[in-house]
Amino acid sequence: MSRAGQAGEVGSVFRCELAVHLAVHGLRGRPVSGLDVPAGVWPVRLDFETSDPTDDIRVTFSDGRRAYVSAKRKIDRGRPLEETLTGWVGQVPTLGADDLLVIAGEELVGPVKNLDRALRRHRAGLRMETGDESRALALLTDRLPSRVRGLVLDRARVLHLPGSIGPAPHRDLLAALMNLVVADARGPSAVSALADFFHRQRARRSGVPSRTGLLP
């Protein structure tokens, strides 16, 4: 397999693991840490490869808000971020009052490592404390058209899932959450079943855009 093909495969695996992460939180009725939604709000539906400008995963929450998620296993200042911002700008006209724009990654590189903290300070109306935060925020402000910049910065979230496609601390956390939903401490089996479902769905679609609702 070519290097590009390997990167694409790894990216697909990450998208599946991200879907498992979101689904487990939805089944458990828990907010997704990092998205800053209210305590009583959790995912109730996942749609994949939609016609949205940000098309990896659309998450619908229990209060009706949506998050448009761009899933990029490794995020630096280059193409993954550029593609995400292009999608976000195209998504702006469709945003509801509380909808979110999310970039999710396993590996955050360079200034992107400080982007979540910079966005949190921006939303709180605080000045950047460090040069690292200023450089991280500039990754967005320098690339966004002025007409949408303020809205995108307010709605943007970074969802960091380190180690999500490697061995298991991340899976262990999800399994612990699922142990509170399924009987007989079968959380690990339930998480594995979800992962297998998403992987099979991905293989069956073979890249053809489609929608799959996960939760009622």
Side-chain angles (χ1 to χ4, degrees):
M1 183 183 293
S2 69
R3 182 174 297 180
Q6 290 174 333
E9 181 66 19
V10 171
S12 294
V13 172
F14 173 70
R15 284 190 289 275
C16 291
E17 293 300 319
L18 171 61
V20 172
H21 182 87
L22 295 167
V24 167
H25 283 76
L27 292 167
R28 179 65 181 89
R30 289 189 55 161
V32 179
S33 178
L35 297 187
D36 284 350
V37 298
V41 176
W42 53 80
V44 296
R45 182 181 176 90
L46 307 180
D47 291 285
F48 304 92
E49 297 181 15
T50 70
S51 59
D52 298 316
T54 303
D55 64 353
D56 283 333
I57 304 177
R58 183 205 298 150
V59 187
T60 304
F61 293 89
S62 53
D63 65 349
R65 78 181 70 202
R66 290 177 169 180
Y68 298 90
V69 184
S70 175
K72 309 291 185 183
R73 193 201 69 80
K74 180 178 179 180
I75 308 170
D76 56 20
R77 64 170 69 242
R79 183 178 175 183
L81 184 63
E82 297 281 358
E83 290 177 343
T84 295
L85 294 180
T86 297
W88 285 0
V89 171
Q91 200 71 59
V92 163
T94 74
L95 292 177
D98 297 309
D99 290 351
L100 303 176
L101 300 166
V102 180
I103 186 167
E106 180 187 35
E107 184 179 354
L108 309 184
V109 179
V112 176
K113 290 188 290 188
N114 300 292
L115 184 55
D116 179 57
R117 189 166 69 248
L119 286 169
R120 289 176 183 275
R121 292 191 66 80
H122 170 80
R123 292 197 299 273
L126 301 173
R127 297 181 65 179
M128 299 299 106
E129 280 190 314
T130 67
D132 286 341
E133 291 172 354
S134 296
R135 285 186 287 273
L137 194 66
L139 290 175
L140 273 57
T141 56
D142 291 351
R143 292 167 169 81
L144 290 169
S146 58
R147 70 182 188 279
V148 300
R149 186 178 299 139
L151 180 59
V152 170
L153 292 177
D154 288 344
R155 304 299 183 85
R157 303 290 189 271
V158 179
L159 184 56
H160 187 201
L161 301 181
S164 53
I165 64 173
H170 180 253
R171 279 288 185 93
D172 289 346
L173 169 64
L174 298 182
L177 287 173
M178 284 299 285
N179 275 335
L180 301 174
V181 177
V182 296
D184 300 324
R186 294 182 62 84
S189 297
V191 171
S192 295
L194 280 173
D196 181 62
F197 168 76
F198 288 127
H199 283 289
R200 284 188 287 107
Q201 288 293 98
R202 177 178 58 84
R204 192 174 297 144
R205 285 198 299 271
S206 299
V208 178
S210 62
R211 295 185 179 190
T212 303
L214 171 68
L215 305 174

